[in-house]
Amino acid sequence: MEYDLKIVTPDKVAFDGKAERLVARSVDGDVCILARHVNYMTALSIGQVKVRKAGEDFRVASCSGGTLIVTNGSVLLIASTFEWADEIDIERAQRAKEKAEKRMQDKATDYEMRVAEFKLKRALNRLSTGMK
C-alpha cells in the first residue's frame, strides 16, 4: 500500500509522490511510516532518511533536522537540509568535517563548541550517506 509523501526544505521540493515506506531519525530514535499510520508529529534529528516506492529499493538521503507530520494518511517531511545520496558533494562534506574538527580543537565558547559539534555531525552524516 502507498501513501502521499512530500519532502520539502526552505530551498526545494525534494520529493512529491507516492511512497510505500519512510524511515527517518527522530529525536527519540528511528521511526518507520507505513500506509494507514496514525496521525503523528515528531522533530527530526541529524540522520538518514530512507524512502521506498512500491517495487523499488530504498532511496537514501542525508537530513539535518526538521519535522515529520502524518495527517489523515498523508506524510509531510519538512527538513532543514535534505540531500539525496547521489547529490552529496563528498569533497565538500570532507572539508566541512575537517573545519568542524579544527574548530572543536580551538579554544571556543560553549556556543561555538555546540555549533561545531552540530556541523561535525551533519558532515559525518553526509559523508556516510554519500559514500553508500
Side-chain angles (χ1 to χ4, degrees), residues 70-130:
V70 180
T71 308
N72 300 326
S74 294
V75 180
L76 174 63
L77 190 154
I78 305 168
S80 300
T81 64
F82 188 94
E83 294 176 278
W84 293 110
D86 58 358
E87 298 173 344
I88 294 173
D89 181 339
I90 298 297
E91 291 176 8
R92 183 171 157 245
Q94 183 63 39
R95 287 191 307 270
K97 174 186 169 280
E98 291 165 2
K99 185 177 178 181
E101 288 172 335
K102 182 182 180 322
R103 185 67 168 234
M104 290 175 71
Q105 291 173 355
D106 295 342
K107 301 255 189 254
T109 65
D110 286 344
Y111 173 77
E112 291 170 332
M113 187 62 83
R114 286 193 306 272
V115 170
E117 287 172 355
F118 174 83
K119 289 182 177 187
L120 178 60
K121 287 178 187 176
R122 184 174 63 190
L124 289 171
N125 184 53
R126 292 179 69 232
L127 285 168
S128 173
T129 302

Side-chain angles (χ1 to χ4, degrees), residues 3-9 15 19 21-34 37-46 48-51 63-82:
Y3 55 86
D4 292 323
L5 170 64
K6 191 168 193 173
I7 301 172
V8 298
T9 72
F15 184 91
R21 178 177 298 206
L22 171 100
V23 178
R25 173 79 36 95
S26 81
V27 294
D28 295 320
D30 288 352
V31 61
C32 177
I33 306 296
L34 301 170
H37 197 286
V38 66
N39 288 349
Y40 176 74
M41 182 179 199
T42 189
L44 297 175
S45 185
I46 295 173
Q48 291 184 346
V49 171
K50 299 175 184 176
V51 176
C63 178
S64 66
T67 305
L68 177 65
I69 305 164
V70 180
T71 308
N72 300 326
S74 294
V75 180
L76 174 63
L77 190 154
I78 305 168
S80 300
T81 64
F82 188 94

